[in-house]
Amino acid sequence: MSWAAHQFEVYAIQAHLPKRLRGQISFFAIFLGDFTPDFLAKFWVYGVTVNGHHYGASEPYRWHRGWPGMGFTHTLFFGLLVAGGIWLWKRNPAWFIGFVLGYAAHVLTDVNDSIGTMLIFPLNLMNWSVGTWAYAATIDGGKYLDAAGYYSSLGFVMDVFWLVVVLFSWRVLTREFWRTQVVPADPRVWAWFGRFLNERGLLALYRGTFFYGVCRLVAWTTWAHLLTNPVIDGVRRNGYPWDLSWGGPWWIPKVELDQVHPLIVLPVALGMFAAVYWAVARYGPRLIERGGVRTLIERPLPRAGSSTRPSPARRRPSR
Amino acid sequence: MPVDALLYLAAAVSYIGLGLYHKWLLNWIVGPLWLIAWLQVAPAIGRGLRRIAWPGPQGQEQVDQ
């Protein structure tokens, strides 16, 4: 699985939307699309231990990405299904497109670990994996070993890669970008949050996922390599050993499911993402023209001069 | 702007520092909320402290600045 990469890719998508869709795709929808697969599948992967009894998946990797299991949540098919539900519910192109893009990014990023995702579910139940790093969620190791494995392998490089992508697109994090391209796509949702937060707080809300990604990357990497002394193969070590080789780290038992050959996976995964992006660029503007920019919160915005209390953002502008 | 940058830095350092030893803090809900709390609460505390330090109309001017 990927860690902070999922936080960074939200901003990478936001920064690289097709030209004609800039300022028209909901940031919250991209975030929700990227976040939904793990929200649905991951809680049972680590499980919980109560009074010495572990409640959770007996085979975390199969539960997370396989079939039978919750692996269907990590498929483009399911993402389109949920996005279709959103469309039927609100006919909101800003949310529909944003959700699809976020979901596709998550599903396609996750082909990098040794389990991968069922890319062409339900047509085929095989997992598609490039095997860049070892899937490390286990019952005994829980979240800690998973983090240690990920941040000792090429998973760490993946997080840094996405971080660099966002930093090269640094304007996406600026107040100007937020004002001109993020808020206009979702005016009512931001107005609703504006009832509780001033502009400084709203901007923090927008940047919060990036902030969390950076912090978890730094914190887990620091912990794994500087603050813990694991015993590996009977030897106590100062920190988990780095292993930036393909499929690493060596000290995690690598788990796999029935898989498509990695040489086929990479071009297909990239092709699928390109296809999603192309479809969005091609048909997105038409959807937007037909639907206009709408939002999931349908309460009307207060009119100028009305007696409605102005938002804190208006009352107390940030300096 | 420098004030905001300091607030973001303080939020990051405190979150990472605490998160290293209390890993339950490192999740997608607490992370963004931590930042929002710093950006909303710290300035409010600053304004409150300035009101205490400079009471009266002159103090209000200081707070407003």
Side-chain angles (χ1 to χ4, degrees), chain A residues 35 198 200 207 219 319, chain B residues 4 8 20 23 28 40 64:
Chain A
F35 163 84
N198 61 24
R200 197 182 240 160
R207 293 169 175 161
R319 278 183 286 273
Chain B
D4 277 16
Y8 276 92
L20 282 172
K23 305 233 174 16
W28 66 273
Q40 290 282 280
D64 289 340

Side-chain angles (χ1 to χ4, degrees), chain B:
Chain B
M1 192 57 184
V3 175
D4 277 16
L6 279 177
L7 288 172
Y8 276 92
L9 186 66
V13 169
S14 58
Y15 185 57
I16 292 169
L18 277 171
L20 282 172
Y21 299 98
H22 302 283
K23 305 233 174 16
W24 60 271
L25 288 170
L26 297 172
N27 69 60
W28 66 273
I29 298 174
V30 175
L33 280 181
W34 190 276
L35 180 66
I36 293 168
W38 265 92
L39 270 286
Q40 290 282 280
V41 176
I45 291 173
R47 281 194 297 274
L49 288 176
R50 277 190 281 178
R51 276 199 196 100
I52 293 168
W54 297 289
Q58 280 185 325
Q60 189 58 48
E61 284 171 19
Q62 292 275 352
V63 171
D64 289 340
Q65 277 169 18

Side-chain angles (χ1 to χ4, degrees), chain A residues 44 81 83 93 97 100 132 135 148 276 300:
Chain A
W44 208 238
L81 214 61
I97 297 169
V100 168
T132 317
Y135 182 97
V276 170

Side-chain angles (χ1 to χ4, degrees), chain A residues 90 158 190 294 300:
Chain A
K90 288 291 178 183
M158 182 61 129
W190 287 105
R294 297 169 64 190

Side-chain angles (χ1 to χ4, degrees), chain A residues 136-164:
Chain A
T138 58
I139 295 174
D140 296 334
K143 192 172 190 175
Y144 284 43
L145 187 64
D146 192 5
Y150 183 79
Y151 285 116
S152 302
S153 68
L154 287 174
F156 169 80
V157 177
M158 182 61 129
D159 274 14
V160 173
F161 166 77
W162 280 106
L163 175 60
V164 170

Side-chain angles (χ1 to χ4, degrees), chain A residues 21 25 92-102 280 283-285 287-288:
Chain A
L21 292 177
I25 303 302
N92 184 329
W95 271 74
F96 174 77
I97 297 169
F99 192 89
V100 168
L101 283 172
V280 162
Y283 300 106
L287 274 183
I288 297 279

